[in-house]
Amino acid sequence: MKAHLARRFCSGVSLLWALAATAASPSAAVPPAEATLEQALRTIVLSGSEPDPGGPQFGAYQELLTRFYEARAYTPAWLEDGHPTRQAEEAVLLLERAAEKGLSSADYDAPLLAAKLTNLRAEQRATPSELALFDAALTLALLRYTTNLAHGRVNPRSLYLDLDSNKRNIDVVALLQRGIERNQVAAETEAAEPQLPMYAALKKSLAQYRRLAADQTLPVVPTAKSKVEPGATFAGIPQLQRRLVAFGDLDAAAPERDDGDKFDDELVNAVKRFQERHGLTADGVLGSATVQEVNRPLSERVRQIEMGIERIRWLPPAPAERFIVINIPRFKLLSFDGAIGTDRPLMEMDVIVGSAGRTPTPVFADQVDYVDFSPYWNVPRSITLKELLPKLKRDPGYLARQGMEIVGAGVTTSVDASTLAELERGTVRLRQRPGAKNALGGVKFVFPNRYDVYLHSTPAHELFSRTRRDFSHGCIRVEDPVAVAEFVLFDRPDWDAERIRRSMSLPEPVRVTLERPIPILIFYTTAVVDPQGRTHFLPDIYGHDKKLAEALNKAPTALP
């Protein structure tokens, strides 16, 4: 019977009802019928019993639950004269509206709590055990809910080894206690949420896309036999127009068209805006990929936003000074100054990230410690073995043409059987000298890490014209390295743009150590809101959304 209950109930709140159902078991935490309400609460909270170890989550939250009730001498928090208080009703309503926060009310047993609330309001002779179970269950649900608001439902280290859960010191017990004392449970609970502008923007977007997902009247755009070019006619124009208006890419107040099936300039521009928001080439051509994204079920967009909200909950508060954020699937670098706010970036530029499936860029947080101008490129051994050795064996002259040299006991540009064998064994290594052909360009920005990933410029500027830009071996190439250097060297007036450019063309490296290291976050989220309030949905190039969805399904209410 206990194993059956563990499979049936997945949350700590449900566990309490399970305990009531297993009263005949010696391990059940249900107090005897003659116990007082305070005694019943104490028995439930301190027992820590579970129908099946490893199933429900009550044990993980027992310390918080105990601290909450010990502070009030085990008096009920949600009952008065044996009946639920007004605050209890408001608390259950708060849990029922968890979807507004990107959470699921079912994870906190809001339907079950609402039913118990109704029964207790009507019940004239509820036992202390029944009342205590309700009080503890509601407290437990709120503690879990507030914890998830503060830190997320999944520990990010389960997905990214070098991304810790946020360091915000949120005392969820104190928040809940204060909310009860001030009769402001909802307001105090919301204080646990991240205060980042992106978080608020994503919640607003979530409400919008929930409404769109519930609209059963939105038509499906038919797929054309071939690409629909600007100026062409297309039978699906009315459906396309309706969806673009709903998404905000086309003005709803636009005048009626004389030719109802023509793909005119106004619609073309709206399609370009849609394409740009969805990581597509913004060419205004209505191809199969664009139609597929236009028709994508809006429930999937809701899920993307929910995962974006979850990821924001992992983050610490924004630094009080300057910092850099790179969003891998958006291929963008953003810089901020926390001292003046984080609602708009000081700088935004395109980047190139690691190749999907081969050398993806890792997700982690660090700080930029120094800048190397005119750097050597010390070729990673994996690139030497997989890419450069085969070329050198076919074409020994490749080394000199690329400005490369072999470094070991000394430095040589001689390529023969002996040096090739040493390269293969790893007793010598390759590096590329500063210069126009250097793969790092004229500058790299270093935040020492175990992945040997850094920011750098590149001679391959043509790649920035691509919409999808995952071409690197893991490092991040920046479109405007001079602007990045100015940003990180802001407190060094001797390092102006002119000196930065000169230093990027020196024959030997120059290192500049930052007086104040700049925090950097290499992040991954496929749903973001830009400063204009437009929601962008980005391709899941590394498959991280799928992994996060699996983690959320496995442990929807785990402690961080």
Side-chain angles (χ1 to χ4, degrees):
M1 180 179 182
K2 291 169 66 177
H4 167 74
L5 286 167
R7 289 192 298 270
R8 180 180 173 191
F9 297 111
C10 65
S11 75
V13 177
S14 293
L15 170 62
L16 296 178
W17 312 128
L19 292 173
T22 58
S25 169
S27 64
V30 179
E34 65 273 12
T36 65
L37 182 50
E38 288 76 10
Q39 290 171 333
L41 267 172
R42 181 184 294 272
T43 300
I44 290 169
V45 172
L46 297 183
S47 69
S49 299
E50 297 188 12
D52 192 2
Q57 300 285 332
F58 179 47
Y61 285 81
Q62 186 182 5
E63 186 274 331
L64 299 180
L65 198 64
T66 301
R67 187 154 59 88
F68 176 86
Y69 278 107
E70 281 186 347
R72 53 190 303 117
Y74 289 93
T75 59
W78 312 102
L79 299 165
E80 188 173 327
D81 297 329
H83 292 281
T85 62
R86 178 64 181 168
Q87 282 203 87
E89 296 176 3
E90 293 172 355
V92 171
L93 179 60
L94 179 68
L95 297 175
E96 288 182 312
R97 298 174 62 179
E100 296 175 5
K101 312 290 188 180
L103 301 170
S104 170
S105 61
D107 284 342
Y108 311 99
D109 291 292
L112 181 57
L113 284 165
K116 292 290 180 180
L117 181 70
T118 300
N119 292 341
L120 288 176
R121 278 201 303 253
E123 177 63 55
Q124 297 300 316
R125 295 179 178 275
T127 67
S129 175
E130 292 171 329
L131 294 171
L133 281 168
F134 172 79
D135 204 272
L138 182 52
T139 301
L140 179 58
L142 287 166
L143 289 173
R144 291 169 47 245
Y145 173 74
T146 309
T147 298
N148 295 160
L149 282 180
H151 303 290
R153 297 158 64 198
V154 168
N155 188 329
R157 286 182 65 85
S158 66
L159 299 171
Y160 311 111
L161 292 178
D162 294 294
L163 188 66
D164 287 324
S165 183
N166 70 62
K167 300 300 189 297
R168 294 187 300 135
N169 294 319
I170 304 295
D171 187 339
V172 295
V173 171
L175 283 181
L176 189 54
Q177 289 169 334
R178 191 162 56 243
I180 294 172
E181 291 167 3
R182 298 177 178 179
N183 198 22
Q184 294 181 335
V185 172
E188 291 294 342
T189 298
E190 288 172 354
E193 296 184 84
Q195 302 305 305
L196 297 171
M198 178 58 69
Y199 180 82
L202 281 172
K203 284 201 301 180
K204 183 177 179 181
S205 177
L206 179 62
Q208 175 194 359
Y209 275 85
R210 282 195 184 282
R211 289 193 297 269
L212 290 174
D215 185 354
Q216 301 298 316
T217 68
L218 281 180
V220 174
V221 178
T223 302
K225 293 181 180 179
S226 59
K227 292 182 178 180
V228 181
E229 302 282 347
T233 58
F234 174 46
I237 290 297
Q239 296 94 320
L240 175 66
Q241 179 175 338
R242 176 78 185 281
R243 291 186 81 89
L244 291 176
V245 167
F247 299 155
D249 297 300
L250 181 64
D251 188 353
E256 291 289 334
R257 293 172 173 76
D258 295 332
D259 192 348
D261 62 353
K262 185 177 181 181
F263 191 31
D264 61 17
D265 290 345
E266 188 175 30
L267 269 177
V268 168
N269 289 331
V271 166
K272 287 181 179 180
R273 287 189 285 272
F274 177 89
Q275 290 170 326
E276 191 266 331
R277 287 195 306 110
H278 291 77
L280 300 166
T281 301
D283 56 8
V285 175
L286 200 61
S288 58
T290 298
V291 172
Q292 181 180 355
E293 291 303 312
V294 168
N295 286 332
R296 187 172 295 279
L298 293 170
S299 58
E300 294 184 19
R301 299 305 185 202
V302 168
R303 187 61 168 160
Q304 269 186 276
I305 298 171
E306 289 176 341
M307 287 191 282
I309 290 172
E310 169 72 10
R311 287 172 167 127
I312 296 294
R313 290 187 180 119
W314 298 342
L315 302 181
E321 297 182 347
R322 293 190 165 211
F323 63 97
I324 293 171
V325 176
I326 290 156
N327 186 9
I328 293 169
R330 197 179 177 199
F331 311 108
K332 289 286 186 183
L333 177 150
L334 305 174
S335 68
F336 299 89
D337 188 343
I340 61 175
T342 58
D343 55 335
R344 289 179 180 271
L346 298 181
M347 174 175 62
E348 179 176 332
M349 72 178 65
D350 291 340
V351 298
I352 293 168
V353 301
S355 173
R358 292 188 296 151
T359 51
T361 297
V363 173
F364 65 105
D366 213 306
Q367 60 181 22
V368 180
D369 288 335
Y370 59 89
V371 182
D372 280 345
F373 291 101
S374 299
Y376 282 102
W377 178 40
N378 294 299
V379 182
R381 179 160 170 74
S382 60
I383 297 177
T384 297
L385 294 176
K386 294 178 182 178
E387 300 180 30
L388 297 183
L389 258 180
K391 290 181 180 180
L392 292 177
K393 288 177 179 179
R394 294 193 304 268
D395 178 12
Y398 178 85
L399 192 75
R401 291 198 306 274
Q402 296 301 315
M404 303 183 83
E405 55 196 19
I406 299 172
V407 182
V411 177
T412 182
T413 56
S414 174
V415 178
D416 54 29
S418 174
T419 55
L420 289 174
E422 287 186 278
L423 280 171
E424 199 154 13
R425 289 195 302 270
T427 54
V428 296
R429 59 184 175 83
L430 288 175
R431 75 178 182 187
Q432 191 173 34
R433 295 186 297 273
K437 293 185 178 181
N438 188 289
L440 305 184
V443 61
K444 70 175 181 177
F445 306 88
V446 183
F447 33 103
N449 58 84
R450 67 191 184 94
Y451 304 104
D452 198 23
V453 164
Y454 42 83
L455 309 183
H456 65 87
S457 54
T458 177
H461 295 287
E462 69 280 0
L463 294 178
F464 287 105
S465 64
R466 307 279 189 91
T467 300
R468 176 166 171 164
R469 295 186 294 276
D470 57 320
F471 304 116
S472 84
H473 289 89
C475 288
I476 298 161
R477 309 174 196 173
V478 298
E479 183 180 31
D480 189 347
V482 174
V484 177
E486 287 184 291
F487 179 79
V488 301
L489 296 171
F490 72 101
D491 56 353
R492 297 283 299 270
D494 54 323
W495 280 94
D496 57 12
E498 182 181 352
R499 184 180 180 186
I500 288 169
R501 290 190 183 92
R502 288 200 312 269
S503 299
M504 291 172 62
S505 302
L506 299 174
E508 294 294 329
V510 171
R511 174 166 296 182
V512 181
T513 300
L514 302 187
E515 295 180 7
R516 284 186 286 180
I518 303 292
I520 182 169
L521 172 66
I522 303 175
F523 203 49
Y524 190 103
T525 182
T526 62
V528 296
V529 180
D530 65 23
Q532 292 73 44
R534 304 181 308 154
T535 306
H536 293 247
F537 297 101
L538 312 167
D540 184 18
I541 60 171
Y542 292 170
H544 288 199
D545 277 1
K546 181 180 179 181
K547 293 177 182 177
L548 176 55
E550 291 172 352
L552 288 168
N553 289 335
K554 286 180 181 178
T557 56
L559 279 168

